[in-house]
Amino acid sequence: MVPALRYLVGACGRARGGFAGGFPGACGSASGRPRPLCGGGRSASTSSFDIVIVGGGIVGLASARALILRHPSLSIGVLEKEKDLAVHQTGHNSGVIHSGIYYKPESLKAKLCVQGAALLYEYCQQKGISYKQCGKLIVAVEQEEIPRLQALYERGLQNGVQGLRLIQQEDIKKKEPYCRGLMAIDCPHTGIVDYRQVALSFAQDFQEAGGSVLTNFEVKDIEMAKESPSRSIDGMQYPIVIKNTKGEEIRCQYVVTCAGLYSDRISELSGCTPDPRIVPFRGDYLLLKPEKCYLVKGNIYPVPDSRFPFLGVHFTPRMDGSIWLGPNAVLAFKREGYRPFDFSATDVMDIIINSGLIKLASQNFSYGVTEMYKACFLGATVKYLQKFIPEITVSDILRQVAVRGPSLL
């Protein structure tokens, strides 16, 4: 792909007299007159836009919303390959609003997580979206975990996480009567929400501000136009051509890719590097029987082990009142495979040939074996859960009825 497209993909600047300084840090209020849902308030056809965002998940929709509220004169379109929005990663996750305790101080992740949690609570209140600020305990059940727990507490303070407390056994019992532990971090600002509901609200804001959403548009190719399309009044004003699997095309000045589990492939289509590659891991959850949900009030997490790239099995309340237990982390054989036997030959070959799977597996071999064992034997997972809540038994569990989509690594 030509270098010009690489530049256009990398930075969304100077479109239509817009934002030479790049994306602003937060959303502002929409300004100007109300505009029609499609067309962006300009005379060009609806098949051309100033900016196109590939991906109708929460990241793509949030990006689209932020852009159109700050730059209402731009025409902006969102392309989504499914018939509905936010049906993959956005709709297949535990729904936890994390407080920002885990990330390296001063890192962008830490700053965005702390600020993002506060903004999300504020947005949900404004829009009437249900959420629960049920808190979280990060619990040390072994003496050797206490130094890691204390270090994590200090990291949370450095990150500016509000309300953190180190609590002892008696206070653990007050927060979670059935949980055992030697010491815990109390994170009262952790919560839960239905992220798909949030994403759909973003989409509504975007469309009401004049943005366009095109579903059933699976991107197949992104290229620079060699000539103006016949009978087009736009000429070469929109030089990027985005084609779908049906042979249809959209033209634009700038393209932003937010393609989730296909972000590496879409990046490659756009002329950019596909690295880092995606290695899909599926997280299977267990479901606590409804009559046993009284055992868990809020989120209960283990002390993370920095040697491994996962937080470990935890207890997660859901907005519908159910309790999820998990997840494990098992290699998936399909990027959007939410069931154990979902398989894609293309995805498997990509994992073997192009990804860093061998390096990942060699660095985390013992952890991977343990995860596979727990995935195959329910009793092994329950035994681990009993470290935190001894009252839980195998008969209290419904096996793998809640499944989270593959993770991005």
Side-chain angles (χ1 to χ4, degrees), residues 122-190:
E122 180 182 346
Y123 181 80
C124 289
Q125 289 174 349
Q126 291 175 352
K127 296 294 182 176
I129 298 173
S130 297
Y131 69 91
K132 296 178 183 177
Q133 194 170 318
C134 53
K136 173 172 68 178
L137 292 184
I138 303 174
V139 183
V141 295
E142 305 289 349
Q143 196 69 36
E144 64 185 27
E145 295 175 334
I146 291 180
R148 298 207 311 268
L149 184 77
Q150 292 171 328
L152 188 62
Y153 171 72
E154 293 298 329
R155 171 172 285 194
L157 294 179
Q158 292 179 58
N159 288 344
V161 179
Q162 297 182 5
L164 289 184
R165 296 189 305 148
L166 267 180
I167 61 176
Q168 307 298 322
Q169 295 182 46
E170 57 273 17
D171 288 324
I172 293 175
K173 288 293 184 183
K174 291 178 183 177
K175 296 282 292 188
E176 292 284 351
Y178 296 94
C179 179
R180 64 173 288 269
L182 303 176
M183 186 183 292
I185 299 174
D186 179 17
C187 308
H189 284 270
T190 298

Side-chain angles (χ1 to χ4, degrees), residues 323-366:
I323 303 294
W324 283 14
L325 313 172
N328 57 16
V330 180
L331 183 67
F333 298 112
K334 185 178 181 180
R335 293 197 177 195
E336 291 169 349
Y338 305 112
R339 295 168 297 185
F341 299 105
D342 285 345
F343 181 86
S344 165
T346 300
D347 291 346
V348 170
M349 289 302 297
D350 198 38
I351 291 170
I352 295 172
I353 297 173
N354 296 319
S355 77
L357 176 63
I358 295 176
K359 181 179 179 181
L360 179 68
S362 62
Q363 291 176 343
N364 301 279
F365 181 75
S366 61

Side-chain angles (χ1 to χ4, degrees), residues 133-373:
Q133 194 170 318
C134 53
K136 173 172 68 178
L137 292 184
I138 303 174
V139 183
V141 295
E142 305 289 349
Q143 196 69 36
E144 64 185 27
E145 295 175 334
I146 291 180
R148 298 207 311 268
L149 184 77
Q150 292 171 328
L152 188 62
Y153 171 72
E154 293 298 329
R155 171 172 285 194
L157 294 179
Q158 292 179 58
N159 288 344
V161 179
Q162 297 182 5
L164 289 184
R165 296 189 305 148
L166 267 180
I167 61 176
Q168 307 298 322
Q169 295 182 46
E170 57 273 17
D171 288 324
I172 293 175
K173 288 293 184 183
K174 291 178 183 177
K175 296 282 292 188
E176 292 284 351
Y178 296 94
C179 179
R180 64 173 288 269
L182 303 176
M183 186 183 292
I185 299 174
D186 179 17
C187 308
H189 284 270
T190 298
I192 55 174
V193 73
D194 182 343
Y195 279 110
R196 184 164 190 262
Q197 189 177 357
V198 175
L200 294 179
S201 182
F202 287 167
Q204 183 177 352
D205 294 344
F206 171 66
Q207 289 181 298
E208 288 177 351
S212 300
V213 175
L214 287 75
T215 56
N216 288 311
F217 195 105
E218 183 174 357
V219 174
K220 181 182 180 181
D221 192 24
I222 304 174
E223 62 182 11
M224 296 297 293
K226 296 179 176 62
E227 60 183 18
S228 175
S230 59
R231 297 184 300 278
S232 171
I233 64 173
D234 298 326
M236 289 297 288
Q237 184 180 358
Y238 305 98
I240 302 175
V241 181
I242 304 175
K243 297 180 180 179
N244 68 6
T245 53
K246 303 174 185 176
E248 301 165 336
E249 65 178 48
I250 295 291
R251 285 183 171 245
C252 61
Q253 293 189 46
Y254 299 87
V255 58
V256 181
T257 63
C258 305
L261 290 164
Y262 288 90
S263 57
D264 55 343
R265 294 179 186 173
I266 295 297
S267 177
E268 191 169 23
L269 283 181
S270 73
C272 296
T273 174
D275 297 323
R277 297 279 185 171
I278 287 177
V279 181
F281 276 76
R282 189 184 69 254
D284 293 334
Y285 281 88
L286 306 175
L287 186 64
L288 195 60
K289 287 183 176 179
E291 58 270 25
K292 292 293 183 176
C293 287
Y294 68 88
L295 293 171
V296 180
K297 289 188 173 182
N299 294 279
I300 302 174
Y301 277 62
V303 180
D305 190 331
S306 60
R307 296 175 299 170
F308 306 119
F310 306 102
L311 292 180
V313 173
H314 43 268
F315 301 76
T316 305
R318 300 280 293 169
M319 289 302 298
D320 62 4
S322 63
I323 303 294
W324 283 14
L325 313 172
N328 57 16
V330 180
L331 183 67
F333 298 112
K334 185 178 181 180
R335 293 197 177 195
E336 291 169 349
Y338 305 112
R339 295 168 297 185
F341 299 105
D342 285 345
F343 181 86
S344 165
T346 300
D347 291 346
V348 170
M349 289 302 297
D350 198 38
I351 291 170
I352 295 172
I353 297 173
N354 296 319
S355 77
L357 176 63
I358 295 176
K359 181 179 179 181
L360 179 68
S362 62
Q363 291 176 343
N364 301 279
F365 181 75
S366 61
Y367 186 91
V369 171
T370 301
E371 290 298 295
M372 290 294 293
Y373 181 76

